[in-house]
Amino acid sequence: MNKNCYIWTRVSTKHQEENGASLDDQKCRCEKYAQEHGYTIKGYFGGKHESAKTPGKLIKDMISAIKRDKSVKYIIVNQADRFSRNAGQAINIINDLNAQGVIIVEALSGTDTSTPEGVMMMQVKLSLAQWDNTNRTNKFVSGRKHCMESGVWIGKRPLGYDKDGKSLNSQYTINATGKLIRKAFKWKLQGVDNFRIMDRLSAMGLNVSKQKLHKILTNPFYAGKIVSKFTDGEIVDGKHPPIISWIEFVHVQDILSGKTGVYKHQKETPQFPLKRHIRCAYDGTPMTAYTVKKKNKDYYKCNQSGCCNNISATKLHALYEELLNSYSIPANLREVFCSVIRDMLVRDNDERKETLALLRKQSSELKNKINSCKVRYGTGDIDDDVYTTTIESLQSKLAKNELELSKAKENLSNLDAAIYDTASTCCKLGSLWRNAELELSEKIQNLLFPSGILWDKEIGNYRTINENKALSVILRLSECYKNKKEENSLENSSFLTECG
């Protein structure tokens, strides 16, 4: 009796293959059954990941082969659901094959479709498989939705984080790459172009494309938030540590969309220097500006629906100047300020030193790779083409690294000049801002408050966020000076201690 057969194997996903349903295991079981029952194997089909939802090319190839080779009358599968876990689809395939006189044999149970009873048994098994698949899918989706709504991200691990645990027990920690991503956000807040950020990151060992950088800068996960189809597009507070604050993230989005004071305002609105620099304290929305022509008065407002944060531009400008004056240090205390600010910047210069260390480490690694490549070329391990391509790539990266390294060293060496310039400017902040042209006003605003400033209508005043580090020292110096007599202030030995 002719018992020629094909063997069909299928897994729909790599995960399924790694969890007890491997293609090799199916193949071995089918071959063993064929050998024990006298079948002649004339070919193998499947053998790759094949979707369980639609009949793919692989099964169509097998059906075409059967039509060409009329001697093949059997198809052996490990289990019936290897055709598909969609019962209707699998039953249609089996019926089409039966119509061609081809019998399906299940190696696991010995059930075949040569009899009506066998066909019915196969259909029942397929229906049960589809029910099980649907039930597991629903549980899986429900579980993911619950995790997301609870603030636990269970998708692909974002760049810059390490992950431990599963499902609700997932815990994320910021790794070394995450610290570089934080720098990218800070640079963007300072108005640095994306291509320049890419060069700086590359010099520190993190290579990202233009598209990848944009995805990073627009991903709310880095601000401690979760947005997913499982949350119906709603923003959920995540349980993972944020790389930047939400206010900073919103400000970066404004920069990317060109809606921030980092960029020039339209020429027709020079009377609104604080436009989009001020944010509503309740929702972080940048405040816009308008003019009531009948009254010839200017106003700032929050455009968030339902938020009635609306205030006179004259009042806001006066309070802003007053705020800046509170940071202004008396001119005759400039040397004292320089001394204190130097000590503070030296203590708080860890980030700049960390950047310098990263660049030096990356430079050392690149030089080692270049030397290793030269040794391998000298010993004949690599040919001319590989050597040339590799050396050119490494030397290009090293050149970028050395450029960033020299800039980092220069930034550290120019500390004295930066301190003196800062002190000179800080002696006249309020009047300087009030009398400046629009472009200079914006530069002062973004230098002092790089993430913007909040207007709180409840207290009728500003709330600062992420202020320039020098400002806190200036404020302490000014307050100390007001409480001391001018003739004794420079001689008092405790003055620096109290102010610094």
Side-chain angles (χ1 to χ4, degrees):
M1 178 182 175
N2 174 21
K3 297 184 70 173
N4 291 341
C5 72
Y6 286 145
I7 288 179
W8 170 261
T9 57
R10 179 188 69 84
V11 290
S12 56
T13 64
K14 183 178 180 180
H15 174 76
Q16 190 180 63
E17 181 178 359
E18 293 172 349
N19 287 272
S22 73
L23 296 167
D24 287 340
D25 182 63
Q26 292 179 46
K27 181 182 176 183
C28 288
R29 289 175 184 273
C30 290
E31 287 178 335
K32 182 179 179 181
Y33 183 89
Q35 183 180 6
E36 291 177 350
H37 295 82
Y39 290 91
T40 301
I41 301 172
K42 298 202 66 178
Y44 297 85
F45 287 88
K48 294 182 180 179
H49 299 157
E50 180 89 332
S51 172
K53 296 181 179 180
T54 57
K57 180 179 182 298
L58 299 177
I59 201 166
K60 291 178 181 178
D61 289 345
M62 181 177 67
I63 292 173
S64 297
I66 289 173
K67 291 179 179 179
R68 292 193 301 269
D69 188 350
K70 302 296 183 181
S71 70
V72 176
K73 297 299 180 182
Y74 297 89
I75 295 176
I76 300 178
V77 296
N78 186 47
Q79 287 182 275
D81 64 4
R82 291 306 86 201
F83 276 108
S84 173
R85 294 177 74 85
N86 181 308
Q89 175 190 296
I91 290 171
N92 287 335
I93 294 172
I94 291 172
N95 288 338
D96 290 343
L97 291 170
N98 277 344
Q100 299 178 48
V102 178
I103 297 171
I104 313 300
V105 181
E106 186 183 62
L108 190 65
S109 66
T111 303
D112 63 49
T113 59
S114 61
T115 64
E117 292 80 6
V119 172
M120 182 185 70
M121 184 62 69
M122 199 80 73
Q123 291 175 349
V124 170
K125 289 184 176 183
L126 288 167
S127 297
L128 289 173
Q130 180 175 344
W131 172 84
D132 176 64
N133 191 55
T134 302
N135 190 47
R136 287 190 295 107
T137 299
N138 290 339
K139 289 182 178 179
F140 176 72
V141 171
S142 177
R144 289 174 69 90
K145 183 176 177 64
H146 176 63
C147 286
M148 291 288 199
E149 290 176 342
S150 300
V152 179
W153 180 260
I154 38 78
K156 182 179 179 181
R157 176 176 59 84
L159 183 69
Y161 285 86
D162 292 326
K163 177 185 175 184
D164 289 319
K166 295 182 179 180
S167 298
L168 286 174
N169 295 321
S170 298
Q171 292 185 338
Y172 291 88
T173 54
I174 300 172
N175 56 29
T177 299
K179 294 179 180 178
L180 293 179
I181 290 175
R182 179 184 286 122
K183 291 180 182 293
F185 275 102
K186 297 294 185 183
W187 290 329
K188 198 64 198 176
L189 285 170
Q190 296 167 10
V192 180
D193 292 332
N194 282 13
F195 78 90
R196 190 77 184 95
I197 293 176
M198 291 165 57
D199 284 343
R200 290 183 182 182
L201 292 176
S202 177
M204 296 181 188
L206 177 58
N207 295 304
V208 292
S209 65
K210 179 174 67 175
Q211 294 78 8
K212 181 65 175 178
L213 177 60
H214 182 76
K215 287 183 178 180
I216 289 173
L217 294 176
T218 56
N219 188 351
F221 187 90
Y222 295 109
K225 307 290 183 179
I226 287 177
V227 180
S228 165
K229 64 179 181 180
F230 293 107
T231 65
D232 298 322
E234 294 293 324
I235 297 177
V236 176
D237 289 332
K239 293 185 177 179
H240 58 280
I243 282 178
I244 59 165
S245 71
W246 176 247
I247 291 293
E248 289 174 319
F249 178 79
V250 172
H251 194 43
V252 167
Q253 307 319 298
D254 286 340
I255 292 174
L256 293 172
S257 60
K259 296 179 180 179
T260 174
V262 172
Y263 298 97
K264 292 184 179 180
H265 293 289
Q266 296 179 354
K267 292 182 180 179
E268 64 269 25
T269 59
Q271 71 270 32
F272 298 119
L274 297 176
K275 183 180 177 182
R276 296 198 173 277
H277 175 68
I278 305 175
R279 297 174 172 276
C280 177
Y282 304 106
D283 49 42
T285 302
M287 297 181 72
T288 57
Y290 67 98
T291 300
V292 178
K293 293 184 179 180
K294 290 183 179 180
K295 298 181 180 180
N296 194 28
K297 290 186 177 181
D298 300 327
Y299 295 87
Y300 290 92
K301 69 174 182 177
C302 173
N303 280 333
Q304 191 71 21
S305 178
C307 180
C308 301
N309 203 345
N310 197 38
I311 187 70
S312 161
T314 301
K315 180 178 180 179
L316 279 189
H317 292 169
L319 288 173
Y320 197 81
E321 183 179 352
E322 183 180 318
L323 174 67
L324 295 186
N325 284 333
S326 71
Y327 291 108
S328 296
I329 184 170
N332 57 348
L333 290 183
R334 186 179 303 174
E335 295 304 320
V336 178
F337 167 71
C338 288
S339 177
V340 175
I341 202 66
R342 172 188 293 280
D343 291 341
M344 188 203 75
L345 289 179
V346 168
R347 290 196 304 268
D348 294 343
N349 213 19
D350 291 342
E351 183 177 351
R352 189 168 292 175
K353 290 179 179 178
E354 179 185 339
T355 298
L356 194 60
L358 284 171
L359 289 170
R360 284 172 172 163
K361 179 182 178 182
Q362 183 70 9
S363 176
S364 177
E365 291 176 352
L366 288 170
K367 289 177 181 177
N368 288 338
K369 287 180 180 179
I370 290 174
N371 291 334
S372 176
C373 184
K374 290 179 178 179
V375 170
R376 293 187 63 193
Y377 178 67
T379 56
D381 291 342
I382 55 177
D383 59 27
D384 291 349
D385 291 340
V386 173
Y387 172 76
T388 301
T389 302
T390 304
I391 283 294
E392 288 179 352
S393 175
L394 290 173
Q395 288 179 338
S396 175
K397 291 180 180 179
L398 181 61
K400 290 181 179 180
N401 174 274
E402 294 294 340
L403 179 61
E404 293 298 328
L405 191 57
S406 64
K407 290 180 179 179
K409 290 177 180 178
E410 182 181 353
N411 288 337
L412 286 174
S413 64
N414 288 342
L415 190 60
D416 288 341
I419 290 173
Y420 186 82
D421 290 343
T422 301
S424 299
T425 301
C426 290
C427 286
K428 49 183 178 180
L429 283 177
S431 60
L432 180 63
W433 175 81
R434 173 168 46 83
N435 297 317
E437 295 292 333
L438 179 61
E439 185 176 358
L440 179 56
S441 294
E442 292 173 346
K443 287 182 177 180
I444 293 172
Q445 292 164 190
N446 292 305
L447 172 65
L448 301 180
F449 306 106
S451 298
I453 191 170
L454 300 178
W455 172 255
D456 190 334
K457 67 178 181 180
E458 291 295 328
I459 64 174
N461 214 329
Y462 294 106
R463 286 199 284 118
T464 58
I465 51 172
N466 191 32
E467 65 184 13
N468 189 302
K469 291 181 180 180
L471 294 185
S472 59
V473 174
I474 298 172
L475 188 60
R476 290 200 299 273
L477 280 171
S478 298
E479 290 175 348
C480 287
Y481 182 72
K482 291 175 185 178
N483 297 326
K484 292 183 179 292
K485 293 180 179 180
E486 183 174 350
E487 61 271 17
N488 295 327
S489 60
L490 292 176
E491 298 175 1
N492 193 326
S493 61
S494 64
F495 182 80
L496 283 178
T497 304
E498 295 176 10
C499 293

